Amino acid sequence: MSERTPVLTKQDLNRCGRRWCTMAVGTFNYETQLAASVVYAESKALRKIYPNDEDYKKSLNNQFKYFNTMPYIANFVLSAGLAMEDQDGLDALDAVQNMKVSLMGPLAGIGDSIGWILLPTIFGSISAYMGQQGNPAGLILWTLAYLLLWIWRTTWWNYGYKIGANFFSSMSNQISAFTEAASILGLTVVGAMIPTTVVLRTGLSFQYGDVVLSVQEGVLDVILPYLLPVLATLAVYKLLNKGVKMTYIILGILVLGCLGAATGILV
């Protein structure tokens, strides 16, 4: 690992926070999800870390890889990744990506519960009740709550950066082990998502005399319940590795799904 002097300041991190809060889902797409917004938020800071054009491009390309988690809480992992790059430059790219992959799933679960359910339910119900009573304080409360949340989200980049810098410093001698462990964890998280998010069932059945055997319920659910989702995921993975665009894959899935449903092959 090369020794570097960190160059990012509190002002740099606050700018990242402001840019992220204003554009977190503004560039959402099906191929890289929030990655383009990550690049927008961190581009100024990364340019300060990498004055060399080629190094800067390598870092940007790394940030353009798939990333998706709850935007409110993404600040932590993104700023920690900045700290790692500020500390060790291009040598930290693999560790940064593996950390993002391994943490974005758990962070999404926490963030969704707090940002999309808990806070809107509490402040929304109170503000709505006050509004129904003709009290304008309800609108003020709702606006104030989200203004404070916006300020908190921008300043959290500083906390994530401090944690990330300390974490990276303490793990500098074991970074290879950390990278491998984070990679394994990331693959485990992605693998665990297949049976919970990919739904693919067949309506095929075999009939012999009066006996009807459903391929899905009588065979697959007994032997390998999630074989079809795994095969579908593997097929998409192979297509992506061959350079097929995500939009083409999505269109193909829609067409095959419609044909399968119309013919009864898929249900």
Side-chain angles (χ1 to χ4, degrees):
M1 297 291 180
S2 58
E3 292 295 332
R4 290 171 55 94
T5 301
V7 296
L8 296 185
T9 64
K10 182 178 180 180
Q11 288 71 28
D12 295 323
L13 297 171
N14 287 337
R15 179 168 57 181
C16 290
R18 291 191 298 270
R19 291 166 71 92
W20 173 253
C21 288
T22 55
M23 192 57 73
V25 295
T27 60
F28 184 89
N29 63 88
Y30 288 108
E31 185 170 359
T32 60
Q33 305 281 301
L34 304 178
S37 295
V38 174
V39 173
Y40 173 76
E42 297 186 350
S43 58
K44 300 293 185 181
L46 291 175
R47 174 46 106 179
K48 191 171 182 180
I49 295 174
Y50 303 106
N52 179 274
D53 288 347
E54 293 304 316
D55 292 346
Y56 181 54
K57 291 177 183 178
K58 290 179 182 179
S59 179
L60 289 181
N61 287 332
N62 192 58
Q63 299 297 341
F64 262 119
K65 294 179 181 178
Y66 179 93
F67 180 76
N68 185 35
T69 193
M70 205 282 183
Y72 288 10
I73 206 167
N75 309 22
F76 169 77
V77 65
L78 295 178
S79 55
L82 267 183
M84 295 166 71
E85 289 197 58
D86 197 16
Q87 180 72 29
D88 219 68
L90 296 180
D91 290 334
L93 292 188
D94 289 340
V96 169
Q97 180 60 19
N98 288 328
M99 179 187 66
K100 288 164 61 178
V101 171
S102 62
L103 291 181
M104 63 183 182
L107 286 178
I110 298 172
D112 288 348
S113 300
I114 297 175
W116 298 146
I117 299 176
L118 182 62
L119 293 179
T121 300
I122 294 176
F123 290 104
S125 58
I126 295 175
S127 300
Y129 177 78
M130 296 175 71
Q132 287 180 333
Q133 303 302 314
N135 189 344
L139 176 60
I140 297 175
L141 175 63
W142 182 263
T143 304
L144 181 61
Y146 272 84
L147 177 61
L148 293 175
L149 178 61
W150 192 88
I151 296 174
W152 173 70
R153 288 166 57 195
T154 60
T155 57
W156 202 10
W157 280 72
N158 288 280
Y159 298 112
Y161 178 87
K162 293 176 182 178
I163 294 173
N166 293 334
F167 174 76
F168 186 77
S169 297
S170 63
M171 292 290 292
S172 58
N173 294 329
Q174 297 93 3
I175 192 61
S176 297
F178 164 72
T179 302
E180 182 178 359
S183 179
I184 293 172
L185 177 59
L187 292 174
T188 302
V189 171
V190 173
M193 291 174 62
I194 295 175
T196 59
T197 59
V198 181
V199 179
L200 184 63
R201 298 175 62 85
T202 180
L204 293 176
S205 61
F206 294 105
Q207 183 173 359
Y208 185 79
D210 295 331
V211 179
V212 178
L213 177 64
S214 170
V215 173
Q216 184 67 52
E217 298 177 357
V219 180
L220 296 180
D221 287 351
V222 176
I223 302 175
L224 293 171
Y226 299 105
L227 176 62
L228 293 182
V230 169
L231 292 177
T233 304
L234 180 61
V236 171
Y237 174 75
K238 292 292 186 181
L239 291 173
L240 289 173
N241 276 346
K242 291 183 178 181
V244 180
K245 292 184 177 180
M246 179 63 73
T247 52
Y248 295 159
I249 296 176
I250 293 174
L251 289 174
I253 291 174
L254 290 174
V255 172
L256 291 177
C258 292
L259 291 177
T263 58
I265 297 177
L266 302 177
V267 294

